[in-house]
Amino acid sequence: MRCRLCGMALHTTFVDLGMSPLCETYLTADELDGVEHFYPLHVRICDGCLLVQLQDYVPADEIFREYAYFSAYSDSWVEHARVYAEAMVERFDLGGHSLVVEVASNDGYLLQHFVARAVPVLGIDPAANVAEHGEMRGVETLVDFFDSELARRLVGDGRAADLVVANNVLAQIPPLDDFVAGIEILLAPGGVATIEVPHLPRLIEGLQFDTIYHEHFSYFSLITLDRLFAAHGLEIFDVEELPSHGGSLRVYVQRGEGRQEVRPSVGRVLADERAGGYDRLDGYRDFGRRVAETKWSLLELLIGLRRDGKHVVGYGAPGKGNTLLNYCGIRADLLDYTVDRNPYKQGRFLPGTHIPIFPPERITETKPDYVLILPWNLKREIAAQLEYVRDWGGRLVVPIPRPEVLS
């Protein structure tokens, strides 16, 4: 296995989470007795460029052509997108003369806010089932994978972008060079791109190992992002540290001859990463041991609750939850069921663990003693939604970074 950024042979383990199924392959009842494929979640770090990465065991085409994740089911994420759209319209003077292109536009959760401001948009997403929902929101959506060839076609059709948006997609791209080359090609003169990625130092410090799954091939620090974009003539001129997904970066890039002045935020975040040791292998050691400690603590909590006769269920069926449950060996003996607002997942079963998924109303019907919040990054939003659990004395549990029963 070689580094997908610099080509060096990979020898150093970052964390090994064992074997796990694809995290978005939710099973129907008829599929429970069939063969289920598990793949290694053995993550390595490049000794040279320090890119943390997972081998692409399954082609992206098999993962993303039909996708179970719909962004619009998270109210806080839709609000995050609305605030972003408003800010970009003002900052870059976007209007009817502009074009905003979002790569991995999903169900139109973000571009709908530009449509509301009469800014022309184009969404690109390989999953027809979610792209259809984008069209319903007034978002023209091209069902395809984004790459340099598609970027050339769009520019040839007069559709160069004043703003390219790539939120939480860069990690899902095995051919990083071709994808970033496509962004550079697609930019109009003076155009900018914003890319949001989970911030690797936050993953390490917050023990967010459940954000590692087969759909995420790479994990980024700003140091590695800077190397990646610079290799394609793109300059990072601003960076924002965001609370989303447990701690993310929003990186602003332009061509080297761009109009935007480089802001002090770039140097500050790079300096913070160097101070944390993330410019050398030392900053990445010991993560696996700390992850194992979290696993043991969560199992001790759940086993103790079950031995005390407590009824424990889950809330949410996110991809990260499937990494957590499979790595920890948590199945229906410890978690009776989980619920999810996404109708696509309801009536199905979680991959690997086969825990059943119900609509959220199931919690009111069964009145569990404890609810394990699997999308812990949305714990405030979900805790507000589950306020009614207190009516019968129910408690909420968050698994990351350490198992915690919320007061």
Side-chain angles (χ1 to χ4, degrees), residues 288-328:
R289 182 195 62 77
R290 295 165 57 225
V291 165
E293 292 281 356
T294 294
K295 170 182 177 175
W296 300 335
S297 296
L298 180 59
L299 284 172
E300 287 167 357
L301 173 64
L302 294 179
I303 291 170
L305 291 175
R306 296 297 272 189
R307 281 181 170 155
D308 289 342
K310 302 301 183 183
H311 182 201
V312 186
V313 305
Y315 186 97
K320 66 176 57 184
N322 291 322
T323 291
L324 176 83
L325 298 174
N326 278 287
Y327 170 64
C328 294

Side-chain angles (χ1 to χ4, degrees), residues 3 34 90 104 125 172 177 211 284 293 301 328 342 389 395:
C3 175
E90 300 304 320
D125 200 286
Q172 299 175 333
D177 281 321
T211 59
Y284 302 87
E293 292 281 356
L301 173 64
C328 294
N342 186 347
V389 170
R395 308 286 296 278

Side-chain angles (χ1 to χ4, degrees), residues 23-243:
C23 73
E24 296 286 349
T25 52
Y26 299 92
L27 306 175
T28 64
D30 292 340
E31 294 172 319
L32 291 178
D33 292 333
V35 174
E36 196 169 3
H37 296 284
F38 284 61
Y39 305 92
L41 272 180
H42 186 173
V43 186
R44 294 174 172 86
I45 181 169
C46 177
D47 294 356
C49 70
L50 301 178
L51 179 66
V52 172
Q53 56 203 283
L54 181 68
Q55 184 173 338
D56 45 324
Y57 295 98
V58 183
D61 189 67
E62 292 185 22
I63 298 174
F64 298 115
R65 280 298 183 186
E66 181 175 353
Y67 208 45
Y69 179 73
F70 289 73
S71 299
Y73 284 109
S74 169
D75 296 337
S76 61
W77 188 239
V78 173
E79 177 63 10
H80 171 87
R82 185 194 67 77
V83 171
Y84 164 84
E86 296 288 336
M88 295 305 101
V89 167
E90 300 304 320
R91 179 170 180 177
F92 300 116
D93 191 28
L94 302 175
H97 59 284
S98 310
L99 176 64
V100 177
V101 177
E102 184 181 12
V103 180
S105 55
N106 201 260
D107 55 10
Y109 76 103
L110 183 144
L111 290 181
Q112 64 180 339
H113 302 297
F114 288 101
V115 171
R117 293 286 296 264
V119 178
V121 303
L122 174 66
I124 303 171
D125 200 286
N129 64 315
V130 293
E132 179 182 357
H133 289 257
E135 293 279 358
M136 292 165 57
R137 292 184 168 90
V139 175
E140 179 190 355
T141 307
L142 177 63
V143 179
D144 207 344
F145 284 97
F146 178 77
D147 56 17
S148 60
E149 180 182 350
L150 177 55
R152 290 190 189 93
R153 288 207 322 259
L154 290 172
V155 172
D157 292 339
R159 307 195 79 175
D162 299 283
L163 174 64
V164 175
V165 186
N167 282 355
N168 298 299
V169 61
L170 192 62
Q172 299 175 333
I173 306 298
L176 287 174
D177 281 321
D178 188 63
F179 183 87
V180 175
I183 292 177
E184 192 278 333
I185 292 166
L186 187 58
L187 287 177
V192 301
T194 68
I195 298 95
E196 292 186 21
V197 297
H199 194 194
L200 179 59
R202 302 293 85 77
L203 182 156
I204 293 170
E205 293 157 11
L207 286 174
Q208 300 165 10
F209 66 90
D210 58 341
T211 59
I212 295 170
Y213 36 89
H214 299 102
E215 288 85 343
H216 285 175
F217 302 108
S218 305
Y219 304 83
F220 299 100
S221 65
L222 188 61
I223 291 170
T224 54
L225 287 172
D226 190 40
R227 288 172 175 154
L228 173 61
F229 292 124
H232 295 277
L234 293 171
E235 174 186 54
I236 298 176
F237 66 88
D238 196 6
V239 61
E240 297 177 42
E241 296 178 277
L242 307 172

